[in-house]
Amino acid sequence: MMYAIYHIPGVKIGVTNNIKHRVEEQQGYDVGEYEILEMSDDIDYISKRELYLQERHGYRVDRQLYKDLFNNNFIELNNMDINVTEMTSTFPCPVNKLKGQLMDNVGKAWDTKYGSVFITPQSIKWIMDNVKPSQYTSDRCYVYNKAFARWFDNNSMVSGKVCSTQCDDCGDELFDCIRKWANERGLYDKGDPKTQYIKLMEETGEIGRAILKNDTEQIIDGIGDAVVVLTNLAELCGVPIEECIQEAYNVISKRTGKMVNGTFVKDN
């Protein structure tokens, strides 16, 4: 299979194995409005090259390698014409027939303003839980692109890889924004790992109290604050929090066990 890196000047650099379908039919660009930068049948090379060219030309760099999204087995299918706008992705069938259509199109991918999305057995469940019937015709239904793309951010285990979410305000990685915020306030120059650890204990106590009260807002607030403190604690200890998370996932991804009284007990 041949893969192409395409460039839409001023918009993006991406990869596809079907230029006409991905760029012209899905994204609405005509010949002459885009260019093909490179082509190769080596998906490992093309996946790394895409990220390099995105960074070199100043575009948003994808959170995942193309090969990780498609696992060499996924192909872009043409038999489901999804209409992608800035806000929504609309499917050409009623809600009661959507699941079957999605199952027939596992592996289909498309780009949104908020990132690339694709159909997997896991994302089908999200789509079916969040799909809405069209207000104009009973033969179409849609999902909101921002929510769908964020689901991939928050469920990156779908591709076997940990990735961080992006900041709503600036589009940068949230951990980078946290570190910038802390650095501007002198936390890394004058802070201490021991005081951050004490702060972490305070935040986990807040989480515990919120859980006992079943207070969802306070649970969200407490967990968010704890993540901020952990980010700063990791930085003060000389290691990025992303590395800590990746190392932890590398271990737990291979771990087996069972649930006992509401707790996962790993096998010996």
Side-chain angles (χ1 to χ4, degrees):
M1 183 178 294
M2 188 64 65
Y3 303 94
I5 297 179
Y6 63 90
H7 177 212
I8 304 172
V11 179
K12 66 173 293 184
I13 287 176
V15 170
T16 181
N17 58 27
N18 190 327
I19 282 286
K20 182 175 179 60
H21 179 60
R22 173 62 73 88
V23 181
E24 296 180 21
E25 295 177 5
Q26 286 192 342
Q27 300 184 52
Y29 292 95
D30 294 324
V31 175
E33 293 183 306
Y34 65 90
E35 58 183 335
I36 297 176
L37 300 180
E38 293 188 30
M39 295 187 72
S40 173
D41 60 359
D42 185 340
I43 194 171
D44 291 312
Y45 167 79
I46 214 75
S47 297
K48 294 175 183 176
R49 187 68 174 167
E50 177 196 21
L51 270 59
Y52 168 77
L53 291 173
Q54 287 173 339
E55 183 174 10
R56 179 182 176 185
H57 289 274
Y59 291 109
R60 173 181 172 181
V61 179
D62 286 348
R63 296 179 294 275
Q64 296 170 303
L65 290 170
Y66 180 83
K67 68 173 185 176
D68 292 332
L69 291 177
F70 294 89
N71 292 324
N72 292 340
N73 296 318
F74 284 33
I75 59 173
E76 295 170 38
L77 305 179
N78 299 322
N79 59 325
M80 190 180 191
D81 185 17
I82 299 172
N83 182 35
V84 183
T85 67
E86 181 176 358
M87 296 296 296
T88 64
S89 292
T90 300
F91 306 103
C93 63
V95 172
N96 62 356
K97 294 184 179 180
L98 178 60
K99 187 172 183 179
Q101 289 275 355
L102 295 172
M103 293 298 292
D104 289 340
N105 282 272
V106 168
K108 186 177 180 70
W110 62 97
D111 295 323
T112 77
K113 174 183 176 181
Y114 305 97
S116 298
V117 297
F118 54 103
I119 299 174
T120 70
Q122 296 92 338
S123 67
I124 288 174
K125 183 179 186 305
W126 184 92
I127 292 172
M128 295 308 301
D129 287 343
N130 293 274
V131 69
K132 299 181 182 298
S134 171
Q135 299 177 27
Y136 307 104
T137 173
S138 60
D139 293 332
R140 302 178 75 83
C141 54
Y142 66 93
V143 293
Y144 286 106
N145 292 332
K146 184 174 183 179
F148 195 21
R150 287 298 165 84
W151 179 85
F152 279 101
D153 286 340
N154 296 327
N155 292 271
S156 53
M157 305 309 178
V158 167
S159 62
K161 180 178 178 181
V162 173
C163 62
S164 58
T165 57
Q166 291 186 308
C167 177
D168 286 337
D169 293 331
C170 66
D172 291 340
E173 296 295 334
L174 273 173
F175 289 128
D176 288 338
C177 291
I178 293 170
R179 285 186 286 258
K180 180 180 178 182
W181 172 87
N183 189 52
E184 289 174 347
R185 286 155 180 78
L187 193 149
Y188 298 145
D189 290 334
K190 302 177 182 178
D192 182 275
K194 295 185 288 294
T195 58
Q196 283 298 299
Y197 175 75
I198 294 172
K199 180 67 174 174
L200 179 62
M201 294 302 99
E202 293 175 358
E203 297 299 346
T204 55
E206 292 291 332
I207 296 170
R209 284 187 284 274
I211 291 173
L212 291 174
K213 296 178 181 178
N214 197 27
D215 189 331
T216 302
E217 284 191 15
Q218 288 302 310
I219 291 172
I220 293 171
D221 183 70
I223 292 175
D225 286 345
V227 171
V228 170
V229 175
L230 280 170
T231 302
N232 294 329
L233 176 58
E235 194 71 13
L236 286 166
C237 290
V239 291
I241 192 169
E242 295 95 329
E243 181 178 334
C244 301
I245 295 171
Q246 187 68 65
E247 287 298 317
Y249 178 68
N250 290 344
V251 173
I252 66 171
S253 64
K254 302 175 182 66
R255 183 174 293 165
T256 59
K258 59 184 178 180
M259 293 297 295
V260 178
N261 296 326
T263 300
F264 182 79
V265 179
K266 65 179 180 180
D267 293 333
N268 294 327

